[in-house]
Amino acid sequence: GIQVEQSPPDLILQEGANSTLRCNFSDSVNNLQWFHQNPWGQLINLFYIPSGTKQNGRLSATTVATERYSLLYISSSQTTDSGVYFCAVGTNAGKSTFGDGTTLTVKP
Amino acid sequence: KAGVTQTPRYLIKTRGQQVTLSCSPISGHRSVSWYQQTPGQGLQFLFEYFSETQRNKGNFPGRFSGRQFSNSRSEMNVSTLELGDSALYLCASSFPYQETQYFGPGTRLLVL
């Protein structure tokens, strides 16, 4: 099956700093999503981005499908950005393989 | 539009019992997928249903089963519970022919 590697596993920032999270995947995929898991366990959609670049406020994402990686950028981080960020990829609709996540801690 | 809902939110069972979890997708969504999240194994795909048919299946034992009803609501069942089944069970729904998955809040299952 597809292997998904996320880096770094842990990231600690001061409020206001910028960060880049990376997701590498081992095979061609048809779908790729980035999620933020809040402390209560809810997975919040950030981006659906199998290729190209998207931006939403302070967050943006880029996927280079030919090189099998995706990047999530967080600018001017806030304490509410803390949590675990997951990359999920797949070739079949409805079936995703998740990475192990990046745990982000933003300190005030 | 209401989001994906899951019931119950919390559940405590003992080894050997069985449990049924429910997931109601977003209105109009016909695909429902189930995932198990544990600290040791991370998020793992269980199965996916589309129009009442299991379309994809993960690598879980036969104790884990599911079904989908004509209104797209889905249930998953775990029989003969083991301690290792303690986990957060998440379901996700998606619109036909769109890949974006929307997750519910999850059901936390504790097996004692």
Side-chain angles (χ1 to χ4, degrees):
Chain A
I2 297 173
Q3 305 298 313
V4 182
E5 273 187 27
Q6 290 187 243
S7 59
D10 299 282
L11 189 57
I12 301 174
L13 302 172
Q14 287 298 130
E15 205 167 23
N18 302 328
S19 61
T20 301
L21 283 58
R22 187 177 180 101
C23 171
N24 292 333
F25 44 97
S26 62
D27 208 343
S28 300
V29 297
N30 295 328
N31 59 75
L32 188 149
Q33 281 187 261
W34 282 96
F35 296 93
H36 177 213
Q37 188 167 41
N38 67 21
W40 298 272
Q42 174 91 51
L43 282 168
I44 310 297
N45 286 314
L46 297 176
F47 295 102
Y48 171 74
I49 186 164
S51 63
T53 297
K54 289 186 177 179
Q55 180 155 9
N56 184 5
R58 296 182 296 104
L59 273 59
S60 64
T62 294
T63 298
V64 183
T66 53
E67 297 188 22
R68 299 179 187 166
Y69 73 88
S70 183
L71 301 174
L72 176 68
Y73 305 98
I74 304 174
S75 64
S76 304
S77 55
Q78 301 173 358
T79 56
T80 52
D81 294 331
S82 295
V84 185
Y85 290 80
F86 288 101
C87 165
V89 306
T91 55
N92 294 327
K95 177 182 178 181
S96 292
T97 300
F98 281 77
D100 288 338
T102 292
T103 301
L104 175 65
T105 303
V106 181
K107 295 188 171 182
Chain B
K1 246 184 199 177
V4 179
T5 59
Q6 292 187 244
T7 56
R9 294 293 311 279
Y10 303 92
L11 206 49
I12 300 175
K13 291 285 188 178
T14 56
R15 276 183 301 174
Q17 287 187 310
Q18 74 165 15
V19 66
T20 299
L21 312 180
S22 180
C23 172
S24 292
I26 293 171
S27 177
H29 288 195
R30 286 164 54 192
S31 167
V32 174
S33 303
W34 289 89
Y35 294 83
Q36 180 197 64
Q37 186 176 25
T38 59
Q41 299 297 319
L43 272 153
Q44 294 187 288
F45 172 77
L46 280 156
F47 30 64
E48 183 238 354
Y49 287 86
F50 180 83
S51 293
E52 302 179 66
T53 300
Q54 188 180 86
R55 191 163 64 170
N56 289 294
K57 188 178 188 309
N59 297 323
F60 278 80
R63 299 186 298 108
F64 292 81
S65 63
R67 59 178 175 169
Q68 187 180 33
F69 301 95
S70 58
N71 61 358
S72 294
R73 188 177 71 86
S74 177
E75 289 181 347
M76 68 163 281
N77 183 274
V78 188
S79 62
T80 319
L81 284 165
E82 301 177 359
L83 296 179
D85 297 333
S86 294
L88 177 65
Y89 290 89
L90 293 160
C91 87
S93 73
S94 59
F95 198 71
Y97 312 112
Q98 290 184 7
E99 306 289 347
T100 307
Q101 292 191 296
Y102 297 89
F103 280 80
T107 294
R108 289 193 182 275
L109 171 65
L110 177 61
V111 181
L112 301 175

PDB file of all heavy atoms in Angstrom, chain B residues 9-34:
ATOM      1  N   ARG B   9     -21.054   9.279  21.595  1.00  0.00           N
ATOM      2  CA  ARG B   9     -19.755   9.952  21.581  1.00  0.00           C
ATOM      3  C   ARG B   9     -18.745   9.215  22.461  1.00  0.00           C
ATOM      4  O   ARG B   9     -17.557   9.220  22.168  1.00  0.00           O
ATOM      5  CB  ARG B   9     -19.915  11.389  22.066  1.00  0.00           C
ATOM      6  CG  ARG B   9     -20.745  12.280  21.146  1.00  0.00           C
ATOM      7  CD  ARG B   9     -20.033  12.526  19.812  1.00  0.00           C
ATOM      8  NE  ARG B   9     -18.650  12.942  20.000  1.00  0.00           N
ATOM      9  CZ  ARG B   9     -18.285  14.170  20.296  1.00  0.00           C
ATOM     10  NH1 ARG B   9     -19.179  15.129  20.428  1.00  0.00           N
ATOM     11  NH2 ARG B   9     -16.999  14.464  20.430  1.00  0.00           N
ATOM     12  N   TYR B  10     -19.226   8.600  23.515  1.00  0.00           N
ATOM     13  CA  TYR B  10     -18.347   7.867  24.428  1.00  0.00           C
ATOM     14  C   TYR B  10     -19.013   6.547  24.793  1.00  0.00           C
ATOM     15  O   TYR B  10     -20.243   6.475  24.921  1.00  0.00           O
ATOM     16  CB  TYR B  10     -18.085   8.679  25.708  1.00  0.00           C
ATOM     17  CG  TYR B  10     -17.495  10.036  25.450  1.00  0.00           C
ATOM     18  CD1 TYR B  10     -18.319  11.148  25.306  1.00  0.00           C
ATOM     19  CD2 TYR B  10     -16.117  10.209  25.331  1.00  0.00           C
ATOM     20  CE1 TYR B  10     -17.782  12.395  25.051  1.00  0.00           C
ATOM     21  CE2 TYR B  10     -15.578  11.464  25.075  1.00  0.00           C
ATOM     22  CZ  TYR B  10     -16.427  12.545  24.938  1.00  0.00           C
ATOM     23  OH  TYR B  10     -15.884  13.786  24.676  1.00  0.00           O
ATOM     24  N   LEU B  11     -18.172   5.548  24.982  1.00  0.00           N
ATOM     25  CA  LEU B  11     -18.694   4.216  25.245  1.00  0.00           C
ATOM     26  C   LEU B  11     -17.672   3.430  26.056  1.00  0.00           C
ATOM     27  O   LEU B  11     -16.474   3.468  25.746  1.00  0.00           O
ATOM     28  CB  LEU B  11     -18.940   3.526  23.902  1.00  0.00           C
ATOM     29  CG  LEU B  11     -19.968   2.427  23.748  1.00  0.00           C
ATOM     30  CD1 LEU B  11     -21.296   2.818  24.360  1.00  0.00           C
ATOM     31  CD2 LEU B  11     -20.139   2.123  22.275  1.00  0.00           C
ATOM     32  N   ILE B  12     -18.153   2.742  27.082  1.00  0.00           N
ATOM     33  CA  ILE B  12     -17.289   1.858  27.858  1.00  0.00           C
ATOM     34  C   ILE B  12     -17.888   0.460  27.795  1.00  0.00           C
ATOM     35  O   ILE B  12     -19.071   0.279  28.090  1.00  0.00           O
ATOM     36  CB  ILE B  12     -17.162   2.313  29.331  1.00  0.00           C
ATOM     37  CG1 ILE B  12     -16.571   3.714  29.399  1.00  0.00           C
ATOM     38  CG2 ILE B  12     -16.305   1.334  30.125  1.00  0.00           C
ATOM     39  CD1 ILE B  12     -16.513   4.292  30.802  1.00  0.00           C
ATOM     40  N   LYS B  13     -17.057  -0.504  27.393  1.00  0.00           N
ATOM     41  CA  LYS B  13     -17.500  -1.892  27.281  1.00  0.00           C
ATOM     42  C   LYS B  13     -16.470  -2.781  27.961  1.00  0.00           C
ATOM     43  O   LYS B  13     -15.348  -2.341  28.279  1.00  0.00           O
ATOM     44  CB  LYS B  13     -17.629  -2.287  25.806  1.00  0.00           C
ATOM     45  CG  LYS B  13     -18.768  -1.591  25.063  1.00  0.00           C
ATOM     46  CD  LYS B  13     -20.089  -2.178  25.450  1.00  0.00           C
ATOM     47  CE  LYS B  13     -21.208  -1.639  24.598  1.00  0.00           C
ATOM     48  NZ  LYS B  13     -22.516  -2.260  24.958  1.00  0.00           N
ATOM     49  N   THR B  14     -16.820  -4.021  28.158  1.00  0.00           N
ATOM     50  CA  THR B  14     -15.879  -4.989  28.712  1.00  0.00           C
ATOM     51  C   THR B  14     -15.495  -6.002  27.636  1.00  0.00           C
ATOM     52  O   THR B  14     -16.234  -6.199  26.645  1.00  0.00           O
ATOM     53  CB  THR B  14     -16.457  -5.702  29.938  1.00  0.00           C
ATOM     54  OG1 THR B  14     -17.687  -6.317  29.568  1.00  0.00           O
ATOM     55  CG2 THR B  14     -16.691  -4.723  31.071  1.00  0.00           C
ATOM     56  N   ARG B  15     -14.373  -6.634  27.845  1.00  0.00           N
ATOM     57  CA  ARG B  15     -13.882  -7.628  26.883  1.00  0.00           C
ATOM     58  C   ARG B  15     -14.946  -8.679  26.608  1.00  0.00           C
ATOM     59  O   ARG B  15     -15.649  -9.126  27.523  1.00  0.00           O
ATOM     60  CB  ARG B  15     -12.640  -8.313  27.441  1.00  0.00           C
ATOM     61  CG  ARG B  15     -11.360  -7.550  27.205  1.00  0.00           C
ATOM     62  CD  ARG B  15     -10.173  -8.328  27.721  1.00  0.00           C
ATOM     63  NE  ARG B  15     -10.281  -8.601  29.148  1.00  0.00           N
ATOM     64  CZ  ARG B  15      -9.434  -9.358  29.821  1.00  0.00           C
ATOM     65  NH1 ARG B  15      -8.425  -9.932  29.192  1.00  0.00           N
ATOM     66  NH2 ARG B  15      -9.590  -9.551  31.108  1.00  0.00           N
ATOM     67  N   GLY B  16     -15.053  -9.078  25.346  1.00  0.00           N
ATOM     68  CA  GLY B  16     -16.010 -10.105  24.968  1.00  0.00           C
ATOM     69  C   GLY B  16     -17.360  -9.566  24.527  1.00  0.00           C
ATOM     70  O   GLY B  16     -18.108 -10.278  23.845  1.00  0.00           O
ATOM     71  N   GLN B  17     -17.675  -8.344  24.919  1.00  0.00           N
ATOM     72  CA  GLN B  17     -18.955  -7.767  24.493  1.00  0.00           C
ATOM     73  C   GLN B  17     -18.863  -7.329  23.036  1.00  0.00           C
ATOM     74  O   GLN B  17     -17.801  -7.372  22.414  1.00  0.00           O
ATOM     75  CB  GLN B  17     -19.300  -6.556  25.365  1.00  0.00           C
ATOM     76  CG  GLN B  17     -19.741  -6.906  26.767  1.00  0.00           C
ATOM     77  CD  GLN B  17     -20.221  -5.673  27.525  1.00  0.00           C
ATOM     78  OE1 GLN B  17     -19.545  -4.633  27.568  1.00  0.00           O
ATOM     79  NE2 GLN B  17     -21.394  -5.791  28.128  1.00  0.00           N
ATOM     80  N   GLN B  18     -20.003  -6.907  22.488  1.00  0.00           N
ATOM     81  CA  GLN B  18     -20.003  -6.330  21.151  1.00  0.00           C
ATOM     82  C   GLN B  18     -20.532  -4.909  21.223  1.00  0.00           C
ATOM     83  O   GLN B  18     -21.159  -4.507  22.217  1.00  0.00           O
ATOM     84  CB  GLN B  18     -20.844  -7.160  20.186  1.00  0.00           C
ATOM     85  CG  GLN B  18     -22.336  -7.037  20.363  1.00  0.00           C
ATOM     86  CD  GLN B  18     -23.084  -7.589  19.158  1.00  0.00           C
ATOM     87  OE1 GLN B  18     -22.550  -8.306  18.311  1.00  0.00           O
ATOM     88  NE2 GLN B  18     -24.360  -7.262  19.061  1.00  0.00           N
ATOM     89  N   VAL B  19     -20.240  -4.142  20.192  1.00  0.00           N
ATOM     90  CA  VAL B  19     -20.637  -2.742  20.191  1.00  0.00           C
ATOM     91  C   VAL B  19     -21.051  -2.328  18.777  1.00  0.00           C
ATOM     92  O   VAL B  19     -20.529  -2.846  17.784  1.00  0.00           O
ATOM     93  CB  VAL B  19     -19.470  -1.849  20.692  1.00  0.00           C
ATOM     94  CG1 VAL B  19     -18.298  -1.869  19.718  1.00  0.00           C
ATOM     95  CG2 VAL B  19     -19.932  -0.427  20.939  1.00  0.00           C
ATOM     96  N   THR B  20     -22.011  -1.430  18.712  1.00  0.00           N
ATOM     97  CA  THR B  20     -22.455  -0.872  17.432  1.00  0.00           C
ATOM     98  C   THR B  20     -22.352   0.638  17.489  1.00  0.00           C
ATOM     99  O   THR B  20     -22.851   1.267  18.430  1.00  0.00           O
ATOM    100  CB  THR B  20     -23.916  -1.263  17.128  1.00  0.00           C
ATOM    101  OG1 THR B  20     -24.004  -2.685  17.037  1.00  0.00           O
ATOM    102  CG2 THR B  20     -24.370  -0.660  15.807  1.00  0.00           C
ATOM    103  N   LEU B  21     -21.672   1.206  16.509  1.00  0.00           N
ATOM    104  CA  LEU B  21     -21.498   2.649  16.406  1.00  0.00           C
ATOM    105  C   LEU B  21     -22.257   3.145  15.181  1.00  0.00           C
ATOM    106  O   LEU B  21     -22.345   2.446  14.166  1.00  0.00           O
ATOM    107  CB  LEU B  21     -20.019   3.017  16.267  1.00  0.00           C
ATOM    108  CG  LEU B  21     -19.041   2.358  17.250  1.00  0.00           C
ATOM    109  CD1 LEU B  21     -17.623   2.841  16.979  1.00  0.00           C
ATOM    110  CD2 LEU B  21     -19.459   2.612  18.671  1.00  0.00           C
ATOM    111  N   SER B  22     -22.769   4.364  15.273  1.00  0.00           N
ATOM    112  CA  SER B  22     -23.589   4.900  14.190  1.00  0.00           C
ATOM    113  C   SER B  22     -22.995   6.181  13.626  1.00  0.00           C
ATOM    114  O   SER B  22     -22.380   6.971  14.352  1.00  0.00           O
ATOM    115  CB  SER B  22     -25.002   5.170  14.702  1.00  0.00           C
ATOM    116  OG  SER B  22     -25.819   5.699  13.683  1.00  0.00           O
ATOM    117  N   CYS B  23     -23.206   6.367  12.334  1.00  0.00           N
ATOM    118  CA  CYS B  23     -22.700   7.555  11.647  1.00  0.00           C
ATOM    119  C   CYS B  23     -23.761   8.058  10.673  1.00  0.00           C
ATOM    120  O   CYS B  23     -24.234   7.297   9.827  1.00  0.00           O
ATOM    121  CB  CYS B  23     -21.422   7.206  10.889  1.00  0.00           C
ATOM    122  SG  CYS B  23     -20.794   8.515   9.809  1.00  0.00           S
ATOM    123  N   SER B  24     -24.115   9.320  10.802  1.00  0.00           N
ATOM    124  CA  SER B  24     -25.044   9.944   9.850  1.00  0.00           C
ATOM    125  C   SER B  24     -24.265  10.944   9.001  1.00  0.00           C
ATOM    126  O   SER B  24     -23.697  11.901   9.543  1.00  0.00           O
ATOM    127  CB  SER B  24     -26.179  10.657  10.583  1.00  0.00           C
ATOM    128  OG  SER B  24     -27.013   9.725  11.220  1.00  0.00           O
ATOM    129  N   PRO B  25     -24.221  10.722   7.691  1.00  0.00           N
ATOM    130  CA  PRO B  25     -23.404  11.598   6.834  1.00  0.00           C
ATOM    131  C   PRO B  25     -24.095  12.931   6.579  1.00  0.00           C
ATOM    132  O   PRO B  25     -25.261  13.118   6.925  1.00  0.00           O
ATOM    133  CB  PRO B  25     -23.299  10.789   5.539  1.00  0.00           C
ATOM    134  CG  PRO B  25     -24.568   9.996   5.503  1.00  0.00           C
ATOM    135  CD  PRO B  25     -24.873   9.661   6.937  1.00  0.00           C
ATOM    136  N   ILE B  26     -23.363  13.818   5.972  1.00  0.00           N
ATOM    137  CA  ILE B  26     -23.914  15.095   5.531  1.00  0.00           C
ATOM    138  C   ILE B  26     -24.978  14.800   4.476  1.00  0.00           C
ATOM    139  O   ILE B  26     -24.808  13.879   3.650  1.00  0.00           O
ATOM    140  CB  ILE B  26     -22.805  15.997   4.955  1.00  0.00           C
ATOM    141  CG1 ILE B  26     -21.841  16.411   6.068  1.00  0.00           C
ATOM    142  CG2 ILE B  26     -23.377  17.218   4.250  1.00  0.00           C
ATOM    143  CD1 ILE B  26     -20.590  17.116   5.588  1.00  0.00           C
ATOM    144  N   SER B  27     -26.071  15.550   4.508  1.00  0.00           N
ATOM    145  CA  SER B  27     -27.162  15.336   3.569  1.00  0.00           C
ATOM    146  C   SER B  27     -26.643  15.374   2.129  1.00  0.00           C
ATOM    147  O   SER B  27     -25.931  16.296   1.729  1.00  0.00           O
ATOM    148  CB  SER B  27     -28.215  16.429   3.764  1.00  0.00           C
ATOM    149  OG  SER B  27     -29.252  16.293   2.830  1.00  0.00           O
ATOM    150  N   GLY B  28     -27.010  14.338   1.356  1.00  0.00           N
ATOM    151  CA  GLY B  28     -26.575  14.255  -0.038  1.00  0.00           C
ATOM    152  C   GLY B  28     -25.310  13.440  -0.241  1.00  0.00           C
ATOM    153  O   GLY B  28     -25.013  13.017  -1.364  1.00  0.00           O
ATOM    154  N   HIS B  29     -24.569  13.211   0.821  1.00  0.00           N
ATOM    155  CA  HIS B  29     -23.372  12.379   0.717  1.00  0.00           C
ATOM    156  C   HIS B  29     -23.767  10.923   0.709  1.00  0.00           C
ATOM    157  O   HIS B  29     -24.599  10.495   1.516  1.00  0.00           O
ATOM    158  CB  HIS B  29     -22.412  12.652   1.870  1.00  0.00           C
ATOM    159  CG  HIS B  29     -21.717  13.960   1.778  1.00  0.00           C
ATOM    160  ND1 HIS B  29     -20.610  14.269   2.543  1.00  0.00           N
ATOM    161  CD2 HIS B  29     -21.954  15.061   1.013  1.00  0.00           C
ATOM    162  CE1 HIS B  29     -20.188  15.490   2.251  1.00  0.00           C
ATOM    163  NE2 HIS B  29     -21.001  15.998   1.337  1.00  0.00           N
ATOM    164  N   ARG B  30     -23.148  10.145  -0.165  1.00  0.00           N
ATOM    165  CA  ARG B  30     -23.500   8.742  -0.260  1.00  0.00           C
ATOM    166  C   ARG B  30     -22.364   7.795   0.128  1.00  0.00           C
ATOM    167  O   ARG B  30     -22.568   6.607   0.271  1.00  0.00           O
ATOM    168  CB  ARG B  30     -23.987   8.432  -1.685  1.00  0.00           C
ATOM    169  CG  ARG B  30     -25.377   8.985  -1.942  1.00  0.00           C
ATOM    170  CD  ARG B  30     -25.724   9.041  -3.403  1.00  0.00           C
ATOM    171  NE  ARG B  30     -25.560   7.747  -4.050  1.00  0.00           N
ATOM    172  CZ  ARG B  30     -25.584   7.582  -5.372  1.00  0.00           C
ATOM    173  NH1 ARG B  30     -25.743   8.644  -6.150  1.00  0.00           N
ATOM    174  NH2 ARG B  30     -25.445   6.402  -5.914  1.00  0.00           N
ATOM    175  N   SER B  31     -21.167   8.351   0.266  1.00  0.00           N
ATOM    176  CA  SER B  31     -20.036   7.522   0.684  1.00  0.00           C
ATOM    177  C   SER B  31     -19.773   7.753   2.167  1.00  0.00           C
ATOM    178  O   SER B  31     -19.720   8.900   2.627  1.00  0.00           O
ATOM    179  CB  SER B  31     -18.792   7.894  -0.128  1.00  0.00           C
ATOM    180  OG  SER B  31     -17.632   7.334   0.453  1.00  0.00           O
ATOM    181  N   VAL B  32     -19.627   6.669   2.906  1.00  0.00           N
ATOM    182  CA  VAL B  32     -19.271   6.754   4.325  1.00  0.00           C
ATOM    183  C   VAL B  32     -18.080   5.840   4.568  1.00  0.00           C
ATOM    184  O   VAL B  32     -18.120   4.657   4.212  1.00  0.00           O
ATOM    185  CB  VAL B  32     -20.441   6.338   5.242  1.00  0.00           C
ATOM    186  CG1 VAL B  32     -19.980   6.292   6.700  1.00  0.00           C
ATOM    187  CG2 VAL B  32     -21.610   7.298   5.087  1.00  0.00           C
ATOM    188  N   SER B  33     -17.039   6.399   5.164  1.00  0.00           N
ATOM    189  CA  SER B  33     -15.827   5.642   5.482  1.00  0.00           C
ATOM    190  C   SER B  33     -15.618   5.628   6.986  1.00  0.00           C
ATOM    191  O   SER B  33     -15.973   6.584   7.676  1.00  0.00           O
ATOM    192  CB  SER B  33     -14.600   6.291   4.815  1.00  0.00           C
ATOM    193  OG  SER B  33     -14.762   6.387   3.417  1.00  0.00           O
ATOM    194  N   TRP B  34     -15.022   4.560   7.463  1.00  0.00           N
ATOM    195  CA  TRP B  34     -14.730   4.413   8.897  1.00  0.00           C
ATOM    196  C   TRP B  34     -13.230   4.276   9.110  1.00  0.00           C
ATOM    197  O   TRP B  34     -12.539   3.572   8.339  1.00  0.00           O
ATOM    198  CB  TRP B  34     -15.434   3.186   9.469  1.00  0.00           C
ATOM    199  CG  TRP B  34     -16.915   3.312   9.577  1.00  0.00           C
ATOM    200  CD1 TRP B  34     -17.854   2.999   8.628  1.00  0.00           C
ATOM    201  CD2 TRP B  34     -17.647   3.777  10.713  1.00  0.00           C
ATOM    202  NE1 TRP B  34     -19.112   3.249   9.105  1.00  0.00           N
ATOM    203  CE2 TRP B  34     -19.021   3.716  10.382  1.00  0.00           C
ATOM    204  CE3 TRP B  34     -17.291   4.239  11.977  1.00  0.00           C
ATOM    205  CZ2 TRP B  34     -20.034   4.099  11.274  1.00  0.00           C
ATOM    206  CZ3 TRP B  34     -18.287   4.621  12.861  1.00  0.00           C
ATOM    207  CH2 TRP B  34     -19.639   4.549  12.510  1.00  0.00           C
TER     208      TRP B  34
END
